[in-house]
Amino acid sequence: MPNATTETVRLTIDGVSVSVPKGTLVIEAARRVGVMVPHFCYHPKLKPDANCRMCLVEVERMPKLQTSCSTIATEGMAVRTATTVVHNAHKSVLEFILANHPLDCPVCDQGGKCDLQDFSHQYTATSRFEETKRIFQKEYFSPLIETQMNRCVQCLRCVRYCDEVMDVKALAPVGRGTMTEIKSFGSHPLDCEFCGGCVQICPVGAIVSRLSMYEYRPWMLKRADTVCTFCGDGCQITVQTKGQELIEVNSAHGAGRNSGDLCARGFFGFRATSHPSRITHPLIRRNGMLVEATWEDVLEFVAEQTKRLKLAHGPQAFGGLISGRCTNEELYLFQKFMRLTIGTNNLDSSARYGHVNGVQAMRLVQGTHRWTVTFEDIVQADVLLLIGTNITEANPITGLKVKEAVKKHSATLLTIEAIQPAIGTISNISNLSQQHLCIAPSQFGAAVLGLLKAVVEGNHVDNTIKQRAPDYVSAVSHAVQQLAWDDLAVSTGVPHESFFQMAASLVGGRRVVVLAGQMLLRSQGGYGICLNLLDLLLLTGKLTAQGCGFAPLAEENNDQGAVEMGAVAALLPGARDLTDQDARAQIAHAWKEDLPVAAGATLTEMIDRAQAGIIKGLFVVGENPVGSLPPQTGVKEALGKLDLLVCQELFLTETAALAHVVLPAASAMEKAGTFTNTEGHVQAVRPAIDPLGDSRPDWEILSALSVFIGVPLEYGDAKEILKEIRAVIPGYGSLGPSPIPPAVNPMVVDQYVTDGYRRDLAGRYTLPARAVRQEGTVELGLVQSLFHSGKLSTYSKGLLQIESSGYLHMNPVDAARFGLTTGDRVRLSNSRGEFATTAKVLDRVPEGLAWFPDHFAQDALRLFDCVVDPDTKVPSFRTVSVSVMKTT
Amino acid sequence: MLARRAASEGPRWTRAVRAPSIPSPWVGRQGSQMLKEKYQEEIDEIISRYPVKRSALIPLLYLAQRDEGFISEAAMKEIAGLLRLTPPQVYETATFYTMLNLKRVGKFHLQVCKSLMCALAGSDTVIGWVKTKLGIGPGETTSDGLFSLSAVECLAACGTAPMMQVNEDYYERLTEERFDRILADLKRDGTCSLKTGPFMWPEPVAVKGET
Amino acid sequence: MPKHELILLKNMMQLGYTGSLQDYERAGGYQALRKVVGKVPPADVTAMVMKSGLRGRGGAGFPTGVKWGFLPKGYQGPRYLCCNADESEPGTFKDRQLIERDPHQILEGIVLACYAIGAETAYIYIRGEFVLGARILEQAIAEARTAGYIGTNILGAGITANVWVHRGAGAYICGEETALLESLEGKRGLPRVKPPFPATHGLYNKPTVVNNIETLANLPHIVGRGPEWFASIGSPPKSTGTRVFCVSGHVNEPGNYEVPMGITFRELIYEHAGGMRSDKPLKAFIPGGASAPFLTANHLDVKLDFESVAAAGSMLGSGGVTVMEEGTDMVWAALRLMEFFYHESCGKCSPCREGSSWLVQTMRRIVAKRGRMEDLETLVDLCKNIEGRTVCAFGDASVAPIMSTLKHWRAEYVTLIQEAEAANLIKLEPAGRH
Ligand SMILES: Cc1cc2nc3c(=O)[nH]c(=O)nc-3n(C[C@H](O)[C@H](O)[C@H](O)COP(=O)(O)O)c2cc1C
Ligand code: SF4
Ligand code: FES
């Protein structure tokens, strides 16, 4: 915190003395002593607007009643909330608010959790209003959100939330006086981020979710607090259920890392897992067909085959792949299953698609596998650098932290992103940016080099590091001096002044956080760029400074957990090297068994080995390599050659369709465990409903398999596994509201600046290749959409209503160049193949680029090449050059 | 319960107006950028008066209204783009002010002040004249599209009541005779010489000893 | 020949005075500016205004010099002057005349104010309906700019003051100073919660002064002829100077009359405005625009200064004096004003928004002879529940007509209701027989 010694003031609330930080509102001070002043328009997340006038209180020495939501507590203030005058004032304001409110509580979804209802009850407010109530014309509002404007109390919380917190500004209070109503634009339906914030923040039932309209009364519902599975931000959600039915998702202000904020995926995507096409019974291949079977039969079959193959070909004939959506307990058990029951290190997880790049860079330079900063540090930062984050879409809640820093605390935001600062229906982070560089994804590396060069040439290198590691500093200085500004300008399209300006802003910050997103982490050379960003922090003296740090953003909800649990080939639990003898000894001791020695194969290596017939059996848990990797990798043929392909899955994916056995897995809504979010917070996952049909949590399946195979890994419940994890991983974070992030390890930094940096410095201080763009082509990029997450969300009816399929998003200039308008069919092709889709013109796409959402990209993948990072083995297939043709 | 379930799928009245499957983006409108093309210089000049672009919103809405006679959705979208606002931000402002018309009004917009001060001097009679002579009440437009009537609140001409404003011009101290002449002139010439010049009431008169 | 010396209306009272720069200069215009710009320190100009006792002419009557003194000292960065030419208070039409007939007088005042408070930009927020006024101002600004009175390097003294005309678009509330700022920022004209006050967080969150047009028009005279001179006029020490009162309603010669503060209403109405228009005696008058409570014939000898009118239970407000003769239906009159307030409530605060709609509906019922005795109690209750519970003074103002007419002419309400009840009885009786 910047002001750890926060000043306080002392005041009394109804005679009770309380001391609060300076600047606290009276309404909050009252809350501290347990006095809840009734209110509608006030919300702790929003700037006071004091429009409802409900929260009036008496303040000594002030002639009029004051609104406690907008009055700041001062030293010696005496506030009274319980006098007759105050009571009568509340009653009269309530009478006004009720005047135009319809009494349709029995059919209102808010009934039972409505502030207006509660206060009316409290004040036994009877209305003398006998005149005509206003009536609004009903209008279609949006596919997911419905308004009942007759109920609106005009507190404008929805409008203010949409602007102040989300920076979306999709809601408009229209008209004036009593006839003010909340609309979007003219008679157009609401078209926005669909974060559900307006639904959640409305104190009455004026804005409701259509997904659960009329389905329940609040008291019928059972609630479970758990964690959203749709991205790495790890939002806490409260899932409300009626029997086995998922009814609604909410988030509570003050709870979890999101503190009441969600995105469309979290708020509206919750029914993805209860989609009718869920696999609910074990399937086994008989005569080429997958048919239902009993658990006994399939487990027996898998065990038999495994034992047979292991006997014939040894444990190295196996591989395993697990999804970063699984719980920590499952990830841990999976690697233990592979390493112990099977006896191989051939195992990997979806963290390999990019997250590993960030983690390995942090491990090399600063000796941590987690961020050294937290969301709070982002909010408190005075300078934020975002690079390749696509943050609104990929990590919307981290995005909100950035917005909060900028909008509430006036942080300086610097962005290097592949977006144009256009205003659209989805907020655009570059609009909040003080300095934005619009850079093609393939040139993010060049932009970072530009920044480094500007730091060196602008004499911004920190003195401490100069003295401590002169060789390192001169090596980097030398490397950047080899780069010509002209070349940098050509690569990035940015003049050198911009880099100097950005470097100066960066250096000028006291609390500097650098966020790197999946666009960068998943791109070719992502690992090197991460290292360079760490160099940037090191050279400017920001790596170890309080509140500063590097924050690579995880795409999947438990990518971070996958790494920490050792569910990637070269890492053991605790993200320790497979070759780390101490770690091996410690784990072997805990497991009472030695660990396999042979280095493990990573994702693409396993596919190659399957292709070569070396790997014969593959265990796949929740992963879908056939659907996710470009066909060019030969993944489908490779898996086709396997003697045993076992898939634990929710749905019959492209990969599961090839399996010999498909085991029905329970979704995160149906099991207990923990997820670790992008900033390293381990949070509890709790079941909202029972597993559907015969499905079982993945850890139970793995455990059962191990028993059948004869090397049993038995646990009573997920908690028992967590206990073992805690024992195996030294200092493993405890569940809690705010675990302390790890600190930079100075010994590792020393090692890096004396020696570690040398190995590949030349390589990563070279400008990335510049493709000469051919006439009639664009660079096609796969991107994350705000409305989807992996392929899972494409099973959510709600989200499909917002985004039903993939469109090719194109800049208007490019679209005009190709004679395209929104809705036109278009064919993309290159030497690898072709692919037809529909175009959509979007201002925020930079010229020369075209975006296609990853979630619908199975067919588009055939155009992509896959490049594997030599160090981190991350397969990269983010962008490719394609020709564009309008078709009919 | 069943009926309710069905309702949750989407009330029946929503069927006809389903959201388009490709939501229309707010900006990036493909059509001609009308205002910008026609009034580039004026727009730039207006924006240059303010350190924060949004301040130019009402002036630009006026410009759009002058151009088309009312403020169209297309204009609101374009203005949003010019000022880096979302269309709802433009819309919320446009709907707050009574002088900004989001719908077409007649060629001559008669705005008769009905506030107390004018009422004391007979403004209700003026509204009556409009009704008998043009056949329209407040909020209505003649079928030929020539005249619209609004009964408005005080226009700061209480000393010269009753009065009305027609488009940009004030007509004060209305009598039936003057009123008839105004209508006739407007119809014929599009303007009327009875409109008020620089205001002063009572007017200066020649005083002895002065020239 | 007016019996008091005219200050603000003096030029325009000259036959043939067009308000052009030439006319204004010939009448001694811009001399005050020449006198101080670059010669007298800005703080001294503020001190002069403070000493003159000038109080705001927009409605609240806040001492102008004191208001300027609230600007943060030593603040680096832009400050703004916003000139309130929204003139929407029913019964008020003085600013319009000052603008259209003698624009340079205002501009000189504006530049003087800018100089005193260190603002380099002034916006004249003029109500949208004043199209002619806006044009005249723009033309005058162009003239003044050419002559070096406005712009950068004013009179070669290195002082900058740019003046822009910004038209409102039809909203009474935008006369309220913070709503005006919101509107000027391109938003809906909703008043802001205070504190913070415009002096520290005004336009674009920067230190800002909002002053009425008439207030500003006084400045050249105060600076030109000295604060002592100004302070000696009117009803010192608290109500100095003249005011332009706008007389409307049932008088022979309605119009704008500039008189020193402190004369009586009787003098204003009978000597300046020509007395009642017919043989009916005066029944009621509003002393300061629609927001001011009604007064009765008994109040005719109240003095036209801030304190006296307040003591009589009303306020001097914007200086709009509306006269009503015997026979005027006071319930109807209150309803007319209530309809105005209902139409103009911005909708921000629940008591004002909902209360005004409720009051209007109840009043309409009473006037339409569908009232009940309980309604009177409800009216009073509602008014009291609105008063003092809203963000801006609009709420307080909106209840003035009903509260004051109920106070002075309750019997008229009662009669209407009794008639309603009688009519009801008649209506019910035949129904009862069947
Ligand atoms: C509802 C309301 C409407 C107002 N309308 C006006 C107006 O039209 N013109 C004006 O000058 N002041 C108006 N005021 C007063 C202003 O808020 C403010 O006090 C004034 O502009 C300050 O200038 P002054 O100090 O020079 O009087 C209004 C106040 C309220 C509460
Ligand atoms: S819809 Fe709800 S949140 Fe929005 S203004 Fe109305 S009551 Fe407030
Ligand atoms: S909560 Fe304070 S005014 Fe609404």
Side-chain angles (χ1 to χ4, degrees), chain A residues 14-34:
Chain A
D14 296 328
V16 181
S17 175
V18 59
S19 161
V20 294
K22 214 169 171 183
T24 303
L25 296 165
V26 169
I27 198 167
E28 287 298 334
R31 203 194 291 271
R32 293 220 179 173
V33 298

Side-chain angles (χ1 to χ4, degrees), chain B residues 49-50 55 62 168 172 199, chain C residues 100 135 166 168 184 204:
Chain B
R49 295 177 200 164
Y50 309 98
S55 277
Y62 269 131
E168 301 195 334
E172 294 164 79
F199 174 80
Chain C
E100 294 184 5
R135 271 195 212 126
H166 185 98
L184 191 41
Y204 314 123

Side-chain angles (χ1 to χ4, degrees), chain A residues 265 389-396 426-427 784-788 844 851:
Chain A
R265 303 186 288 242
T389 61
N390 193 17
I391 202 160
T392 300
E393 286 87 347
N395 296 80
I426 292 176
S427 67
Q784 165 77 50
S785 151
L786 173 57
F787 302 116
H788 287 286
R844 68 169 63 195
W851 291 347

